[in-house]
Amino acid sequence: MRTERMHKAALAAALVVPLGLLHAWVLAEICIGLVDVLFLLECARGRGFAWARQPWFMAAMLWWGWLLLCSLPLPGLGTGGAGWRMGFMQALVIPRFFVFVAALQGWVLTTPGARRAAWWMLAAASVWIGLEAWQQYLTGRNLFGEHRWSDGSLTGPFRRPRAGALYAHLLFATMLPPVMAMLGRREAGWRGVGWRAGAVGLAALGVVTAVLIGQRMGVVLSAVGLTGTALLVPQLRRVVLVLALVAGAVLLATPVISPPTYAKLVGETYVNLRHFTLSPYGELFTRASVMGLQSPWHGWGYNGFRVLCPQARFGGGLPALGIAPTALGLGACNLHPHNFYFQAFVDAGVPGLLLFMGMIAVWLTTLARGLWGRPEPLRVGLLIAVVTFVWPFGSADEFPILYMSGWLFFVFGLALAAREEAVAAGGRRLAVDTSQPLRHLG
């Protein structure tokens, strides 16, 4: 009975995490910590710690162990430039996220009802972001009175422009299951046509919303999601083509229907790509490269970029590649390099970068196993969500800071739990056949 009460408490806390990640980060942190504590207590009471021998967990701990060593503030070795509090102590507590994932996988979300509830929380978050983006687009303000951001992008329910990437991360995990359920309806006549049209319409609405939010990474990650869907779910390839055409049409129409979106997605993107090394992102990436190259074996420790980046010794550019020196006034320094892989390089050198890449490879291969022959909609959507989080070509937040990476670990835990269920189910027939092309759209 005690175990059952602990499980219910852990499930309740886990389901609050998405709500906290939206609007109350402290609440999310508390809930993640509660899940971790309850899970470890349950393991100590007899469940055991076999989960710690899983490849995905061991790969994560190997990367973390090297990062922790590199974050030790030892001036004689040049490590831990951010010091004890800013660097080492923050790196020390990173495994709480990995334990949270393991708890979701092997204890909290092991029942269909728990996984369904977790999916509904993600779906509610996705709908909330989409609705607030549309309200801001149509009325000029969101529910909290916030206008568009100064660069023209829609902020959705947030004060700052972070709706685009987050919406794209959640889009396919929350959209594919209902879309496939509607396409799987075998009703004849106009009713069947209505279900199929509704499925395509729902998918189109999701993609159009990603475009209208007007953030480049949101659009890019949506394109990544469409590509992944087409590769893994043959039944949706024609639908994906329709969605790509719709998104392209909306983008072409933005000079009329949303000029700020056009200025952000087309005008600013063109300028940045044409002069990338002089753009803020180019400045950041160049500065991060110089920092990593000046300490290739152990980097500068966690948060080393934040603390040490302004130093003049890192401003020389990359002359061998014809890249000019960087300048603080052009945006060469920030809280982080805006890319997980550059961050891994700066934090822990070449070994840290290789360990980080190995960790991501193990995570993705674990989630993808079995999907090629059995592309279950939820698992495909969750895999796409994780891929969009770890996508290397573009801008990202710091890893693993709660407000964005917290979503990654929640999605990753749900994806692992869904994989466990699929493995246990063995060869049972899927409720929706996703292995055959869709012959009719209506």
PDB file of all heavy atoms in Angstrom, residues 250-271:
ATOM      1  N   VAL A 250       1.740  29.673 -47.050  1.00  0.00           N
ATOM      2  CA  VAL A 250       1.583  30.638 -45.956  1.00  0.00           C
ATOM      3  C   VAL A 250       2.818  31.537 -45.857  1.00  0.00           C
ATOM      4  O   VAL A 250       2.707  32.756 -45.660  1.00  0.00           O
ATOM      5  CB  VAL A 250       1.335  29.905 -44.622  1.00  0.00           C
ATOM      6  CG1 VAL A 250       1.378  30.879 -43.452  1.00  0.00           C
ATOM      7  CG2 VAL A 250      -0.008  29.192 -44.665  1.00  0.00           C
ATOM      8  N   LEU A 251       3.999  30.935 -46.008  1.00  0.00           N
ATOM      9  CA  LEU A 251       5.231  31.727 -45.951  1.00  0.00           C
ATOM     10  C   LEU A 251       5.270  32.759 -47.074  1.00  0.00           C
ATOM     11  O   LEU A 251       5.653  33.918 -46.864  1.00  0.00           O
ATOM     12  CB  LEU A 251       6.438  30.804 -46.030  1.00  0.00           C
ATOM     13  CG  LEU A 251       7.811  31.449 -45.834  1.00  0.00           C
ATOM     14  CD1 LEU A 251       7.899  32.112 -44.469  1.00  0.00           C
ATOM     15  CD2 LEU A 251       8.916  30.408 -45.983  1.00  0.00           C
ATOM     16  N   LEU A 252       4.846  32.362 -48.264  1.00  0.00           N
ATOM     17  CA  LEU A 252       4.821  33.297 -49.389  1.00  0.00           C
ATOM     18  C   LEU A 252       3.804  34.408 -49.171  1.00  0.00           C
ATOM     19  O   LEU A 252       3.978  35.521 -49.687  1.00  0.00           O
ATOM     20  CB  LEU A 252       4.500  32.546 -50.686  1.00  0.00           C
ATOM     21  CG  LEU A 252       5.596  31.617 -51.222  1.00  0.00           C
ATOM     22  CD1 LEU A 252       5.090  30.826 -52.423  1.00  0.00           C
ATOM     23  CD2 LEU A 252       6.851  32.408 -51.594  1.00  0.00           C
ATOM     24  N   ALA A 253       2.758  34.092 -48.404  1.00  0.00           N
ATOM     25  CA  ALA A 253       1.706  35.089 -48.172  1.00  0.00           C
ATOM     26  C   ALA A 253       2.000  36.007 -47.002  1.00  0.00           C
ATOM     27  O   ALA A 253       1.265  36.971 -46.774  1.00  0.00           O
ATOM     28  CB  ALA A 253       0.369  34.379 -47.937  1.00  0.00           C
ATOM     29  N   THR A 254       3.050  35.728 -46.226  1.00  0.00           N
ATOM     30  CA  THR A 254       3.308  36.537 -45.035  1.00  0.00           C
ATOM     31  C   THR A 254       3.508  38.029 -45.303  1.00  0.00           C
ATOM     32  O   THR A 254       3.189  38.843 -44.428  1.00  0.00           O
ATOM     33  CB  THR A 254       4.520  35.986 -44.254  1.00  0.00           C
ATOM     34  OG1 THR A 254       5.641  35.816 -45.154  1.00  0.00           O
ATOM     35  CG2 THR A 254       4.181  34.667 -43.588  1.00  0.00           C
ATOM     36  N   PRO A 255       4.046  38.456 -46.469  1.00  0.00           N
ATOM     37  CA  PRO A 255       4.123  39.915 -46.667  1.00  0.00           C
ATOM     38  C   PRO A 255       2.768  40.596 -46.579  1.00  0.00           C
ATOM     39  O   PRO A 255       2.691  41.795 -46.259  1.00  0.00           O
ATOM     40  CB  PRO A 255       4.720  40.041 -48.078  1.00  0.00           C
ATOM     41  CG  PRO A 255       5.503  38.791 -48.267  1.00  0.00           C
ATOM     42  CD  PRO A 255       4.701  37.728 -47.565  1.00  0.00           C
ATOM     43  N   VAL A 256       1.702  39.843 -46.831  1.00  0.00           N
ATOM     44  CA  VAL A 256       0.355  40.410 -46.786  1.00  0.00           C
ATOM     45  C   VAL A 256      -0.323  40.109 -45.458  1.00  0.00           C
ATOM     46  O   VAL A 256      -0.886  41.000 -44.814  1.00  0.00           O
ATOM     47  CB  VAL A 256      -0.507  39.869 -47.951  1.00  0.00           C
ATOM     48  CG1 VAL A 256      -1.938  40.386 -47.849  1.00  0.00           C
ATOM     49  CG2 VAL A 256       0.118  40.246 -49.286  1.00  0.00           C
ATOM     50  N   ILE A 257      -0.290  38.844 -45.040  1.00  0.00           N
ATOM     51  CA  ILE A 257      -1.061  38.434 -43.863  1.00  0.00           C
ATOM     52  C   ILE A 257      -0.308  38.679 -42.552  1.00  0.00           C
ATOM     53  O   ILE A 257      -0.936  38.753 -41.490  1.00  0.00           O
ATOM     54  CB  ILE A 257      -1.475  36.950 -43.954  1.00  0.00           C
ATOM     55  CG1 ILE A 257      -0.239  36.039 -43.942  1.00  0.00           C
ATOM     56  CG2 ILE A 257      -2.316  36.709 -45.196  1.00  0.00           C
ATOM     57  CD1 ILE A 257      -0.584  34.558 -43.906  1.00  0.00           C
ATOM     58  N   SER A 258       1.016  38.802 -42.593  1.00  0.00           N
ATOM     59  CA  SER A 258       1.783  39.029 -41.372  1.00  0.00           C
ATOM     60  C   SER A 258       3.155  39.596 -41.723  1.00  0.00           C
ATOM     61  O   SER A 258       4.170  38.886 -41.690  1.00  0.00           O
ATOM     62  CB  SER A 258       1.939  37.724 -40.581  1.00  0.00           C
ATOM     63  OG  SER A 258       2.611  37.947 -39.368  1.00  0.00           O
ATOM     64  N   PRO A 259       3.222  40.877 -42.066  1.00  0.00           N
ATOM     65  CA  PRO A 259       4.503  41.478 -42.450  1.00  0.00           C
ATOM     66  C   PRO A 259       5.624  41.298 -41.426  1.00  0.00           C
ATOM     67  O   PRO A 259       6.770  41.062 -41.819  1.00  0.00           O
ATOM     68  CB  PRO A 259       4.142  42.962 -42.640  1.00  0.00           C
ATOM     69  CG  PRO A 259       2.696  42.935 -43.007  1.00  0.00           C
ATOM     70  CD  PRO A 259       2.101  41.821 -42.208  1.00  0.00           C
ATOM     71  N   PRO A 260       5.347  41.368 -40.095  1.00  0.00           N
ATOM     72  CA  PRO A 260       6.453  41.132 -39.150  1.00  0.00           C
ATOM     73  C   PRO A 260       7.033  39.729 -39.268  1.00  0.00           C
ATOM     74  O   PRO A 260       8.244  39.534 -39.098  1.00  0.00           O
ATOM     75  CB  PRO A 260       5.797  41.351 -37.777  1.00  0.00           C
ATOM     76  CG  PRO A 260       4.630  42.232 -38.052  1.00  0.00           C
ATOM     77  CD  PRO A 260       4.118  41.796 -39.385  1.00  0.00           C
ATOM     78  N   THR A 261       6.177  38.737 -39.554  1.00  0.00           N
ATOM     79  CA  THR A 261       6.662  37.374 -39.729  1.00  0.00           C
ATOM     80  C   THR A 261       7.565  37.288 -40.940  1.00  0.00           C
ATOM     81  O   THR A 261       8.625  36.645 -40.911  1.00  0.00           O
ATOM     82  CB  THR A 261       5.478  36.399 -39.887  1.00  0.00           C
ATOM     83  OG1 THR A 261       4.648  36.483 -38.725  1.00  0.00           O
ATOM     84  CG2 THR A 261       5.960  34.975 -40.069  1.00  0.00           C
ATOM     85  N   TYR A 262       7.179  37.948 -42.021  1.00  0.00           N
ATOM     86  CA  TYR A 262       8.000  37.944 -43.233  1.00  0.00           C
ATOM     87  C   TYR A 262       9.360  38.602 -42.960  1.00  0.00           C
ATOM     88  O   TYR A 262      10.404  38.097 -43.380  1.00  0.00           O
ATOM     89  CB  TYR A 262       7.273  38.685 -44.352  1.00  0.00           C
ATOM     90  CG  TYR A 262       8.090  38.794 -45.629  1.00  0.00           C
ATOM     91  CD1 TYR A 262       8.136  37.731 -46.525  1.00  0.00           C
ATOM     92  CD2 TYR A 262       8.809  39.947 -45.923  1.00  0.00           C
ATOM     93  CE1 TYR A 262       8.896  37.819 -47.680  1.00  0.00           C
ATOM     94  CE2 TYR A 262       9.564  40.051 -47.076  1.00  0.00           C
ATOM     95  CZ  TYR A 262       9.606  38.970 -47.956  1.00  0.00           C
ATOM     96  OH  TYR A 262      10.361  39.057 -49.097  1.00  0.00           O
ATOM     97  N   ALA A 263       9.342  39.728 -42.253  1.00  0.00           N
ATOM     98  CA  ALA A 263      10.592  40.430 -41.962  1.00  0.00           C
ATOM     99  C   ALA A 263      11.528  39.556 -41.137  1.00  0.00           C
ATOM    100  O   ALA A 263      12.748  39.565 -41.355  1.00  0.00           O
ATOM    101  CB  ALA A 263      10.293  41.725 -41.217  1.00  0.00           C
ATOM    102  N   LYS A 264      10.953  38.775 -40.209  1.00  0.00           N
ATOM    103  CA  LYS A 264      11.781  37.929 -39.352  1.00  0.00           C
ATOM    104  C   LYS A 264      12.261  36.690 -40.097  1.00  0.00           C
ATOM    105  O   LYS A 264      13.462  36.375 -40.085  1.00  0.00           O
ATOM    106  CB  LYS A 264      10.962  37.513 -38.126  1.00  0.00           C
ATOM    107  CG  LYS A 264      11.658  36.531 -37.189  1.00  0.00           C
ATOM    108  CD  LYS A 264      12.780  37.182 -36.424  1.00  0.00           C
ATOM    109  CE  LYS A 264      13.366  36.232 -35.387  1.00  0.00           C
ATOM    110  NZ  LYS A 264      14.481  36.821 -34.651  1.00  0.00           N
ATOM    111  N   LEU A 265      11.337  35.969 -40.734  1.00  0.00           N
ATOM    112  CA  LEU A 265      11.679  34.679 -41.329  1.00  0.00           C
ATOM    113  C   LEU A 265      12.458  34.816 -42.632  1.00  0.00           C
ATOM    114  O   LEU A 265      13.306  33.977 -42.936  1.00  0.00           O
ATOM    115  CB  LEU A 265      10.408  33.863 -41.578  1.00  0.00           C
ATOM    116  CG  LEU A 265       9.658  33.356 -40.355  1.00  0.00           C
ATOM    117  CD1 LEU A 265       8.463  32.522 -40.786  1.00  0.00           C
ATOM    118  CD2 LEU A 265      10.569  32.556 -39.435  1.00  0.00           C
ATOM    119  N   VAL A 266      12.162  35.835 -43.410  1.00  0.00           N
ATOM    120  CA  VAL A 266      12.788  35.968 -44.727  1.00  0.00           C
ATOM    121  C   VAL A 266      13.867  37.047 -44.717  1.00  0.00           C
ATOM    122  O   VAL A 266      15.040  36.784 -45.010  1.00  0.00           O
ATOM    123  CB  VAL A 266      11.735  36.262 -45.809  1.00  0.00           C
ATOM    124  CG1 VAL A 266      12.406  36.411 -47.169  1.00  0.00           C
ATOM    125  CG2 VAL A 266      10.693  35.153 -45.849  1.00  0.00           C
ATOM    126  N   GLY A 267      13.487  38.272 -44.370  1.00  0.00           N
ATOM    127  CA  GLY A 267      14.430  39.376 -44.442  1.00  0.00           C
ATOM    128  C   GLY A 267      15.631  39.197 -43.524  1.00  0.00           C
ATOM    129  O   GLY A 267      16.784  39.238 -43.959  1.00  0.00           O
ATOM    130  N   GLU A 268      15.375  38.971 -42.248  1.00  0.00           N
ATOM    131  CA  GLU A 268      16.474  38.838 -41.291  1.00  0.00           C
ATOM    132  C   GLU A 268      17.293  37.579 -41.545  1.00  0.00           C
ATOM    133  O   GLU A 268      18.517  37.579 -41.404  1.00  0.00           O
ATOM    134  CB  GLU A 268      15.918  38.823 -39.865  1.00  0.00           C
ATOM    135  CG  GLU A 268      16.987  38.865 -38.797  1.00  0.00           C
ATOM    136  CD  GLU A 268      16.399  38.943 -37.405  1.00  0.00           C
ATOM    137  OE1 GLU A 268      15.355  39.617 -37.232  1.00  0.00           O
ATOM    138  OE2 GLU A 268      16.980  38.330 -36.495  1.00  0.00           O
ATOM    139  N   THR A 269      16.612  36.488 -41.937  1.00  0.00           N
ATOM    140  CA  THR A 269      17.337  35.249 -42.223  1.00  0.00           C
ATOM    141  C   THR A 269      18.277  35.434 -43.404  1.00  0.00           C
ATOM    142  O   THR A 269      19.426  34.965 -43.388  1.00  0.00           O
ATOM    143  CB  THR A 269      16.351  34.110 -42.514  1.00  0.00           C
ATOM    144  OG1 THR A 269      15.512  33.916 -41.362  1.00  0.00           O
ATOM    145  CG2 THR A 269      17.081  32.818 -42.825  1.00  0.00           C
ATOM    146  N   TYR A 270      17.818  36.118 -44.431  1.00  0.00           N
ATOM    147  CA  TYR A 270      18.662  36.353 -45.611  1.00  0.00           C
ATOM    148  C   TYR A 270      19.907  37.140 -45.227  1.00  0.00           C
ATOM    149  O   TYR A 270      21.026  36.802 -45.631  1.00  0.00           O
ATOM    150  CB  TYR A 270      17.858  37.105 -46.665  1.00  0.00           C
ATOM    151  CG  TYR A 270      18.695  37.535 -47.862  1.00  0.00           C
ATOM    152  CD1 TYR A 270      19.074  36.616 -48.836  1.00  0.00           C
ATOM    153  CD2 TYR A 270      19.113  38.860 -47.994  1.00  0.00           C
ATOM    154  CE1 TYR A 270      19.845  37.005 -49.921  1.00  0.00           C
ATOM    155  CE2 TYR A 270      19.882  39.262 -49.073  1.00  0.00           C
ATOM    156  CZ  TYR A 270      20.256  38.322 -50.037  1.00  0.00           C
ATOM    157  OH  TYR A 270      21.022  38.715 -51.104  1.00  0.00           O
ATOM    158  N   VAL A 271      19.733  38.179 -44.420  1.00  0.00           N
ATOM    159  CA  VAL A 271      20.868  39.004 -44.017  1.00  0.00           C
ATOM    160  C   VAL A 271      21.850  38.185 -43.174  1.00  0.00           C
ATOM    161  O   VAL A 271      23.069  38.229 -43.380  1.00  0.00           O
ATOM    162  CB  VAL A 271      20.387  40.241 -43.230  1.00  0.00           C
ATOM    163  CG1 VAL A 271      21.573  40.995 -42.629  1.00  0.00           C
ATOM    164  CG2 VAL A 271      19.579  41.158 -44.137  1.00  0.00           C
TER     165      VAL A 271
END
